[in-house]
Every structure is written in structure tokens, then in C-alpha cells.
Amino acid sequence: MDTAQQSEHTIRAFKGKSFLPALTVYDYPMTRLLDELGIPMLLVGDSLGMVVLGYPDTTHVTMEEMLHHVRAAARAKPRGFLVADMPFHSYENPDQALTHATQLKEAGAKGVKLEGGQEVAPQIQAILQSGIPCVGHLGMLPQRVVEEGGYRIKGRSEQEKASLLENAELLTKLGVCALVLELVQSDLAREITHRVSIPTIGIGSGDDCDGQILVTQDLIGGFPWFRPKFVTPVMESASLLQKSVDAWRSEQSERYRKAFSPSPIVAHHRT
Ligand code: KIV
């Protein structure tokens, strides 16, 4: 078994045993810190586009940008399952998907994640056949946000519910090792979790998935200009940074003022 297969195996083994925590990483220090903590799945997500690169959504992220950040994360040599998102338009057909998944693997990812169900089944099959582990992603698909005109909960209508259940079962059968469920109505997310034999990893899909994934910046309050409603940050790192830098600036200004303020003029009298 190579290291990618071992990681995949470890992720599958969470099913029905223990909670699977997963977080996004985009660079060396964050990957090293979270891996040292033992987070078993680290995703170089294309949320990179918003929280690091300043794009309005994930559709602008390119393959070059993903490769650059996957290489940085991989330099931390994480023991956990380092997964890379396949960016928008990088998996339009099986050949293209395989070429790009291979590049992400060569950059250091142990697995890749693709958005969608039966419409990307041939791409997933091609990648899996080459030995690269895949993670599925169903529900709200951020790469379709422009097309759909916003982020909304999926699985409220009977038709959406049936299609999500069908796709979850199909992806499991194809051989993905875990399934991200994004903004899936919580009862449905629970039902999918009971039906499939692989771990489901929820994001904004209620509490009853096998694991949870978050954009790390959301969890640590590092991107204060946008906060998803379903996240309660564990710290306020953006305001902590601003306050600490402000204190440093005041201290240094005070030191400068004392060192360089003109000395009082001493009057000299001639005798
Ligand atoms: O891009 C991303 O960060 C994701 C999420 C599931 C967190 O796909």
C-alpha cells in the first residue's frame, strides 16, 4: 500500500467509529500546525480563491494557483490525508480530469476532490482507475454559484432529495473514499450518512454527518468580511492581529518619541 492508499484507508475507517474532523489549508505553516494536531484530513480547497487570493468566488481559481498552494502545503509533509480540490473547468472530460489529478498528485496531494454526481462519474472513474483516491462533493456546489445565482440549502424538494440520495449512492459505488455534503438539508444529510458505507463530511449540513469540514479562516475568525451563518468561530484571529499590531505600533512610536524628542534648551550665560 502506498501512502495515498494508506491515508484513504484511514479516512474510510472513521465510518461508524469516531468523529472525522477536516479543515482547509493553503500553505506550509497552517498545514504543519494542523497536522501536528492530528487533523486527519486537510483540504487545499478552492476556497483559496476567496480567503487567500481575494476573488469573489471559487470559479476564478486556476490549476496553476492550486498547484502552487498544494506544493506549499505538501512541503509540511503531513501524515494526514492531503486532498486537493480540482478547480473549475479542470475536469470537463475523463482525459482532462486524469491529467490534472495526476499533476495535483505530483505536486504532493494524496487525493483529489471533485464537485458533482453522475455528471462527473466518468471523470471520477478515470481518476480512481489510475490509483488516485477521490473525495466526492454533493449539495451546494460552489463552482456553480454564478450559474445558480447564490448559495442555498439543497434537498428541500422531493426531486432534489431523490437526486442527492441517488448521487451519494452512485459515488460510493464508484469508490470515492468520503463524501463532502455542503449545505444539505440536515435530515437528508443524516439519511445519506445512514445509507452510505463511507464517511460523510458535512459543512452547513447539520450535526449528523460522520465528520465536519470548515474553511479554517472561518473557524479562527481570520476572514471577518464574510462569515457563513453556520460557523461559530473558536477565536477572533483577525481582530487579535489588528489589536496586537496596533499595540506594537503605539509602543514603538512612544519609544521613538522619547529617544528623539529635542532635549530642553539650556541657557548659557556669559560671565
Ligand atoms: O473549497 C473548500 O474549501 C471546500 C469546502 C468543502 C470547505 O470545498
Side-chain angles (χ1 to χ4, degrees):
M1 244 199 239
D2 67 14
T3 56
Q5 285 161 340
Q6 268 165 20
S7 300
E8 172 183 3
H9 189 72
T10 309
I11 294 303
R12 283 180 184 273
F14 274 87
K15 183 76 187 181
K17 298 237 171 56
S18 50
F19 172 70
L20 170 54
L23 286 168
T24 62
V25 291
Y26 312 101
D27 58 19
Y28 173 89
M30 192 60 95
T31 308
R32 190 163 166 185
L33 286 168
L34 297 184
D35 192 60
E36 282 175 3
L37 202 59
I39 300 295
M41 177 169 149
L42 299 169
L43 170 71
V44 184
D46 58 358
S47 49
L48 164 76
M50 289 95 93
V51 300
V52 177
L53 302 178
Y55 293 138
D57 54 61
T58 63
T59 63
H60 302 263
V61 177
T62 64
M63 226 3 238
E64 283 65 37
E65 287 164 342
M66 282 307 298
L67 288 170
H68 180 75
H69 287 268
V70 169
R71 285 190 197 106
R75 277 182 208 112
K77 297 190 173 40
R79 296 157 299 162
F81 188 38
L82 185 68
V83 178
D85 254 338
M86 299 205 59
F88 193 41
H89 290 320
S90 72
Y91 50 102
E92 311 246 280
N93 58 59
D95 284 348
Q96 193 202 35
L98 180 57
T99 303
H100 289 140
T102 307
Q103 288 172 1
L104 290 164
K105 187 188 172 192
E106 285 165 2
K110 291 178 185 162
V112 296
K113 174 166 81 59
L114 288 76
E115 295 183 6
Q118 49 97 52
E119 71 282 14
V120 292
Q123 285 87 323
I124 292 180
Q125 265 171 324
I127 297 169
L128 286 171
Q129 267 161 22
S130 79
I132 302 173
C134 274
V135 172
H137 186 151
L138 294 174
M140 170 60 211
L141 306 179
Q143 292 175 4
R144 303 217 185 133
V145 67
V146 178
E147 204 179 304
E148 295 189 1
Y151 299 90
R152 64 169 191 86
I153 304 276
K154 298 288 175 154
R156 285 197 165 130
S157 70
E158 285 308 310
Q159 195 194 351
E160 257 181 24
K161 193 175 158 185
S163 135
L164 279 165
L165 276 166
E166 225 172 84
N167 278 320
E169 280 171 345
L170 171 70
L171 294 187
T172 308
K173 211 160 102 192
L174 288 179
V176 304
C177 63
L179 195 52
V180 168
L181 297 178
E182 179 157 358
L183 294 183
V184 172
Q185 197 272 331
S186 55
D187 291 341
L188 177 59
R190 188 189 314 119
E191 190 174 343
I192 293 173
T193 301
H194 286 142
R195 284 234 202 150
V196 298
S197 57
I198 52 171
T200 58
I201 310 176
I203 171 160
S205 302
D207 295 332
D208 298 326
C209 293
D210 298 297
Q212 295 286 333
I213 185 163
L214 286 178
V215 168
T216 302
Q217 271 70 2
D218 294 338
L219 182 66
I220 65 172
F223 195 80
W225 309 280
F226 174 77
R227 290 202 155 162
K229 287 196 201 92
F230 54 85
V231 183
T232 309
V234 291
M235 68 184 288
E236 293 295 345
S237 69
S239 68
L240 183 64
L241 180 139
Q242 287 186 327
K243 277 188 205 137
S244 311
V245 171
D246 198 34
W248 169 81
R249 175 175 57 187
S250 303
E251 204 182 288
Q252 294 299 317
S253 303
E254 184 57 13
R255 184 193 55 74
Y256 184 94
R257 196 187 60 73
K258 282 190 187 142
F260 295 107
S261 59
S263 36
I265 296 164
V266 180
H268 292 283
H269 299 284
R270 282 177 195 225
T271 49

